[in-house]
Amino acid sequence: MIFFRPKEILSQECTALFEAFENSDKLGECRLKIKGSSADVYLLSYDLSRPEVGEGLLKSAYNYAANRGAYIGTLSAKDSGIAHTYLNFKEEDGLLTNDIPSLLAGHCNCSPDI
């Protein structure tokens, strides 16, 4: 089973860090910055052959942000693989974004064809 652990950072650059673990093996991480009602995942790192890890990291981060008053989620991380396709992002001005409830409503099976 994969576990997603948050670590609050609360610095100018980062609000929280999320790490994915399976047993004691680290599978990936993401970094989140919350500013007002917006939450941006600006770093997403995972084995691209395991998109479920990336999806879980994104959902963990946006859930954390929503619980702290954020409503809009963006993904500015480069090279995020296909994990973002499993959430309901819209592209606006070259940025992947949507309201967090819509992002979290995406399916969890890593199959965008369903």
Side-chain angles (χ1 to χ4, degrees), residues 10-25:
L10 304 178
S11 72
Q12 293 275 347
E13 297 79 31
C14 185
T15 302
L17 161 72
F18 295 84
E19 296 174 312
F21 287 93
E22 190 167 44
N23 300 317
S24 61
D25 298 328

Side-chain angles (χ1 to χ4, degrees), residues 8-16 31-34 42:
E8 286 193 323
I9 306 292
L10 304 178
S11 72
Q12 293 275 347
E13 297 79 31
C14 185
T15 302
R31 291 182 183 261
L32 171 75
K33 178 68 178 167
I34 300 172
Y42 64 91

Side-chain angles (χ1 to χ4, degrees), residues 4-11 14-18 30-34 38-41 56-71 100 104:
F4 302 95
R5 297 183 191 154
K7 273 188 199 174
E8 286 193 323
I9 306 292
L10 304 178
S11 72
C14 185
T15 302
L17 161 72
F18 295 84
C30 76
R31 291 182 183 261
L32 171 75
K33 178 68 178 167
I34 300 172
S38 295
D40 179 42
V41 172
L57 286 164
L58 288 171
K59 287 189 172 189
S60 295
Y62 293 127
N63 183 64
Y64 174 94
N67 287 329
R68 283 149 186 81
Y71 184 71
I100 292 174
L104 295 177

Side-chain angles (χ1 to χ4, degrees), residues 38-52:
S38 295
D40 179 42
V41 172
Y42 64 91
L43 181 138
L44 179 61
S45 173
Y46 64 98
D47 178 347
L48 297 179
S49 70
R50 306 249 344 239
E52 72 277 8

